[in-house]
Amino acid sequence: MINSELELSRFPSWFAGSDPAAAREIAQRTQKTDFSRNVLVGWVETTGCSQATGAALLASGDRLTLGVSQPKPKPECLVAYQVTVVFEVPRDRMPKHPVFGTGGAAATAPSPGTTVAFTYLNGATAQGQGLKGSEVTQPAQLNAYLAGLPAAGASAVRTQLAAHSPKSGERRFGFKLSGCRSTGAALLITPEGRVSASPTGGENIRCIRPEIYAAVLAVPVNVLPTRVTAID
């Protein structure tokens, strides 16, 4: 579910690596959404051995399901088809506590990536802190990133990372972010291969002086474009 322009800015990241054209089309077609009245629901569904020709969002109580129109599938195929669809729905017609599919799953986050470390950098200021991010997948990369943090912040990040061992098939990116009473971070990926992050939480709070945070996010390699061109 996409409830705001901020969440919408992150959503095409899901498709930046696998289908950059779809990411651009989603961004273009949804840019005029009036979030004061409507929400967006994005859905990806495997349709088997035939391609979808239409889709409908169905609701029963709190449960949302996807109805797909498609020709009769062939008995077998080398690769199954998938359909990606985005619905614009009036807020007053959405369930208050929606669950998705027959299994009743919760909504996926609006953008890919898992925050594996996040901490406030006490005493750090935005000026001169070098807020540009870096890849930290390899130990040497991580050590270089941590060397740019205050000692207490680097120690806190190491402690949090110890509880989130690296997984096969993922890359990690570290950032210093400026925010206010932030509680986490979200990853943004463009079809051109630019990777960045923004703080989450505290969106409606204003600080006299920006607060600086360290964040490390892990993302599956299949979500990323073939070539990462910049890390902001």
Side-chain angles (χ1 to χ4, degrees), residues 1-91:
M1 280 191 60
I2 304 156
N3 288 286
S4 66
E5 291 183 4
L6 184 60
E7 291 184 354
L8 177 58
S9 70
R10 300 166 182 155
F11 180 64
S13 298
W14 278 108
F15 311 98
S18 60
D19 194 343
R24 293 188 187 94
E25 185 175 2
I26 289 169
Q28 181 180 8
R29 291 199 177 196
T30 57
Q31 62 181 344
K32 295 183 179 180
T33 302
D34 181 359
F35 285 103
S36 68
R37 302 170 60 186
N38 303 323
V39 299
L40 298 175
V41 178
W43 204 303
V44 178
E45 185 80 17
T46 300
T47 62
C49 291
S50 72
Q51 191 169 1
T53 56
L57 185 64
L58 309 174
S60 176
D62 286 345
R63 187 180 304 278
L64 300 178
T65 55
L66 185 69
V68 176
S69 304
Q70 62 184 117
K72 182 179 179 180
K74 297 177 181 179
E76 58 182 25
C77 52
L78 292 176
V79 180
Y81 286 95
Q82 279 192 329
V83 61
T84 300
V85 58
V86 180
F87 301 95
E88 185 170 355
V89 184
R91 284 186 179 274

Side-chain angles (χ1 to χ4, degrees), residues 13 17 27 31 35 85 90 92 101 115 132 140 144 149 158 164 167 172 183 202 211 224:
S13 298
Q31 62 181 344
F35 285 103
V85 58
D92 59 8
T115 302
K132 188 174 181 179
L149 304 181
R158 282 194 183 277
H164 297 88
K167 298 179 182 178
R172 293 185 168 191
T183 57
E211 298 174 344
L224 291 165

Side-chain angles (χ1 to χ4, degrees), residues 49-183:
C49 291
S50 72
Q51 191 169 1
T53 56
L57 185 64
L58 309 174
S60 176
D62 286 345
R63 187 180 304 278
L64 300 178
T65 55
L66 185 69
V68 176
S69 304
Q70 62 184 117
K72 182 179 179 180
K74 297 177 181 179
E76 58 182 25
C77 52
L78 292 176
V79 180
Y81 286 95
Q82 279 192 329
V83 61
T84 300
V85 58
V86 180
F87 301 95
E88 185 170 355
V89 184
R91 284 186 179 274
D92 59 8
R93 297 188 63 184
M94 281 295 295
K96 290 184 178 181
H97 305 287
V99 293
F100 295 81
T102 55
T108 304
S111 65
T114 302
T115 302
V116 291
F118 185 84
T119 189
Y120 169 65
L121 299 179
N122 188 27
T125 61
Q127 186 175 5
Q129 283 297 311
L131 297 181
K132 188 174 181 179
S134 59
E135 182 160 2
V136 297
T137 306
Q138 301 301 323
Q141 295 171 324
L142 176 61
N143 289 336
Y145 166 73
L146 294 175
L149 304 181
S155 177
V157 170
R158 282 194 183 277
T159 298
Q160 293 178 42
L161 292 178
H164 297 88
S165 299
K167 298 179 182 178
S168 175
E170 76 173 14
R171 291 170 71 177
R172 293 185 168 191
F173 299 90
F175 302 90
K176 280 187 280 187
L177 304 174
S178 174
C180 180
R181 304 294 187 269
S182 301
T183 57

